[in-house]
Amino acid sequence: QTCALPISIAQGRPRAWQVLFRRLTRERDWDRQPAPDAATLVRISRGYTPSNERRSTTRYVADVTYIFNREAVSRVLRDANIPFTQSAVRQILLVPMSPGFADGPWAQALSSPSLRGGVVPYVVPSAADNPELVGLNFNTASWSNVAAAAGRIKANEAALVQAVYANDKVTVTIRRLGEGEAPTKTFVEVPLMQTLGTTYPAAAQEAIAAMEDLWKAHLVINFNTRGTLTADVQVDSLNQWGQIQSALAGLDNITNVQVIAMDLGYARLSIAYLGTQDQLRDAMGDQ
């Protein structure tokens, strides 16, 4: 029992590293996952928390939550030149469609508790949303068509997730909608497993993975890509100026802010940032 505990914890750490890596990166980069040795994994970790422990004289079994050092993980990924996200995704509205909006087997599959806890937290519409969404057209729907339902859960993004059966497969297409943004799409195909009812759970799992990758495309930052821009900011008070400085300081992809000049009611700033200007704009909008 004395030896089983540290051996089990050490064996679980590489698996935890893989789970963390896949949460932070796009699927296209998963085959580039760095493989730190055991000593490095310990060094970039902050500890672990076991639960549901089961012990014997020769075995140790538990559910273990591993905690990693954020800065150390960032260094490993930057050294490997792998884009990753450090931003948490806000809750979104997920609208099941098959092919139109319906509260049926497809919606139930997407609502499965086993799919929760991923990178993109989501809420499936409630019965109160049905009158607003029942006539939704997957290909032409805009943000205004889902804004009311999204607003009830305080979401500013939505995913239309449509499942269509044809030619012995289920094609799931995800359409991302956001306020003031152009829609983006992705899809995944799942072979039919006997019936639609037995296929939907696997299709839902693939759909959530594809949806998360679609969202990551907007969030991942290549921390070896850098830029600088000059911004003129209107400032109405010292209090507002302090709020602006605090907001800029809270953004992970801003590395430096310098005041170039100030005039009555205005400040000119030089902002050094990581990633692209679009990613900087999105981060600043959230902040």
Side-chain angles (χ1 to χ4, degrees):
Q1 181 177 330
T2 304
C3 295
L5 172 58
I7 291 174
S8 297
I9 295 301
Q11 289 175 339
R13 197 172 280 115
R15 173 59 180 157
W17 165 249
Q18 182 185 65
V19 172
L20 176 63
F21 177 81
R22 293 190 172 189
R23 286 178 65 90
L24 297 178
T25 61
R26 298 166 298 184
E27 186 173 356
R28 73 181 73 168
D29 293 320
W30 287 358
D31 60 352
R32 300 173 56 207
Q33 176 183 328
D37 57 26
T40 302
L41 284 175
V42 171
R43 190 166 58 252
I44 66 176
S45 301
R46 296 180 57 189
Y48 62 90
T49 303
S51 61
N52 301 321
E53 295 178 291
R54 299 178 295 281
R55 301 169 182 259
S56 70
T57 56
T58 58
R59 297 184 64 204
Y60 175 84
V61 180
D63 298 322
V64 182
T65 299
Y66 291 85
I67 304 167
F68 288 87
N69 182 287
R70 176 172 175 165
E71 292 303 319
V73 169
S74 296
R75 284 195 298 271
V76 171
L77 298 180
R78 285 198 300 267
D79 290 346
N81 196 26
I82 296 175
F84 64 98
T85 176
Q86 289 185 318
S87 303
V89 180
R90 295 180 180 179
Q91 183 171 264
I92 71 165
L93 177 72
L94 188 153
V95 183
M97 304 183 72
S98 58
F101 173 68
D103 185 17
W106 179 232
Q108 294 166 13
L110 290 169
S111 301
S112 171
S114 66
L115 300 179
R116 304 292 175 160
V119 176
V120 182
Y122 64 88
V123 174
V124 175
S126 65
D129 301 313
N130 289 7
E132 297 170 4
L133 302 175
V134 69
L136 206 61
N137 184 297
F138 179 83
N139 293 310
T140 62
S142 64
W143 171 251
S144 61
N145 298 120
V146 299
R152 279 192 276 274
I153 61 169
K154 298 180 179 179
N156 57 11
E157 293 180 290
L160 309 184
V161 184
Q162 184 188 60
V164 176
Y165 167 69
N167 301 322
D168 292 327
K169 64 184 177 183
V170 174
T171 301
V172 182
T173 308
I174 299 99
R175 191 160 179 259
R176 179 182 184 270
L177 301 177
E179 187 174 6
E181 299 182 26
T184 54
K185 292 169 66 174
T186 190
F187 74 95
V188 62
E189 295 179 341
V190 180
L192 185 69
M193 302 174 184
Q194 297 180 340
T195 67
L196 276 178
T198 55
T199 305
Y200 275 158
Q205 188 173 11
E206 294 288 340
I208 297 304
M211 181 183 74
E212 292 187 343
D213 221 42
L214 185 61
W215 254 255
K216 286 178 187 177
H218 293 262
L219 294 173
V220 293
I221 295 173
N222 186 335
F223 284 79
N224 292 319
T225 300
R226 301 171 181 267
T228 305
L229 61 81
T230 301
D232 291 336
V233 183
Q234 184 175 350
V235 182
D236 296 326
S237 65
L238 286 175
N239 181 57
Q240 186 192 44
W241 175 236
Q243 292 175 348
I244 291 171
Q245 289 178 306
S246 297
L248 292 173
L251 294 173
D252 291 324
N253 51 340
I254 289 183
T255 58
N256 188 43
V257 177
Q258 290 184 333
V259 179
I260 300 174
M262 295 197 73
D263 198 353
L264 186 62
Y266 287 91
R268 176 163 292 177
L269 308 178
S270 174
I271 301 174
Y273 60 93
L274 304 170
T276 67
Q277 283 196 12
D278 286 341
Q279 290 172 327
L280 176 64
R281 180 167 50 247
D282 290 343
M284 293 176 74
D286 289 341
Q287 189 78 329

